[in-house]
Amino acid sequence: DSKWEMRYEGKYEIIIGSRYLNKDSIKIKQPLTRRIVSRLGNFLVRILLGIKSVDTQCGFKLFSKEAAEEIFPLQKIERWGFDMEILAIAIRRGYKIKEVPVDWYDAEGSQVKKSAALKTLKELLQIKWRMMRGKY
């Protein structure tokens, strides 16, 4: 939408949404255990990958054409870990990222299986390994 373009054009190549920047953004909360797993996962992402964003897993992401053309061909992860990977690549490539608050509603009955969380942790470690080997 033009509001986004007018506010951020030329300042940032990537804009990502965050549920956690504004305490009023979360309209319907997730169950406590899911919030804990989410926050722990985000903590690990920030520590291991050097990503400063508070919420890497929020679905809202906007890329300039140039950033998308450079970053996405380097992406290897196709599951939930792709968010972490594209942000890690963007940071490695020196792109400016802006995190903005977005309203978010938990979908009742939505679940994340323990196996999915473990697979995402494995993907996080794969991204770190690729970073250490200079693949990005």
Side-chain angles (χ1 to χ4, degrees):
D1 133 349
S2 61
K3 174 178 84 171
W4 289 95
E5 290 175 28
M6 291 182 340
R7 186 178 297 164
Y8 298 113
E9 189 173 343
K11 296 179 187 175
Y12 302 96
E13 293 93 1
I14 302 167
I15 299 170
I16 66 171
S18 175
R19 299 166 280 195
Y20 307 127
L21 288 180
N22 180 343
K23 67 178 182 145
D24 297 326
S25 288
I26 298 178
K27 306 301 183 185
I28 299 175
K29 292 183 179 183
Q30 295 173 314
L32 180 61
T33 54
R34 192 151 169 202
R35 287 190 309 240
I36 291 169
V37 169
S38 174
R39 292 301 180 105
L40 177 61
N42 197 268
F43 174 75
L44 289 174
V45 168
R46 290 168 39 192
I47 297 270
L48 291 175
L49 303 183
I51 295 173
K52 305 273 189 268
S53 303
V54 178
D55 188 5
T56 59
Q57 300 309 108
C58 182
F60 176 85
K61 292 180 178 56
L62 178 69
F63 292 81
S64 70
K65 179 181 181 216
E66 296 78 18
E69 287 175 345
E70 183 175 359
I71 294 167
F72 286 100
L74 300 173
Q75 173 194 347
K76 304 292 182 212
I77 306 285
E78 294 183 7
R79 294 181 28 82
W80 287 348
F82 93 92
D83 293 284
M84 302 178 290
E85 186 178 34
I86 59 176
L87 292 175
I89 294 167
I91 290 167
R92 282 279 195 199
R93 299 290 173 138
Y95 285 102
K96 294 178 284 187
I97 301 170
K98 175 70 175 171
E99 191 171 18
V100 298
V102 294
D103 287 347
W104 188 80
Y105 302 80
D106 184 49
E108 189 176 334
S110 172
Q111 296 180 350
V112 176
K113 295 179 182 175
K114 189 188 310 185
S115 62
L118 292 175
K119 286 177 184 175
T120 304
L121 176 60
K122 179 182 173 186
E123 292 169 350
L124 172 61
L125 297 174
Q126 289 172 336
I127 295 164
K128 178 65 175 178
W129 179 244
R130 285 187 189 112
M131 286 174 68
M132 291 169 43
R133 293 181 27 227
K135 298 292 183 181
Y136 301 130

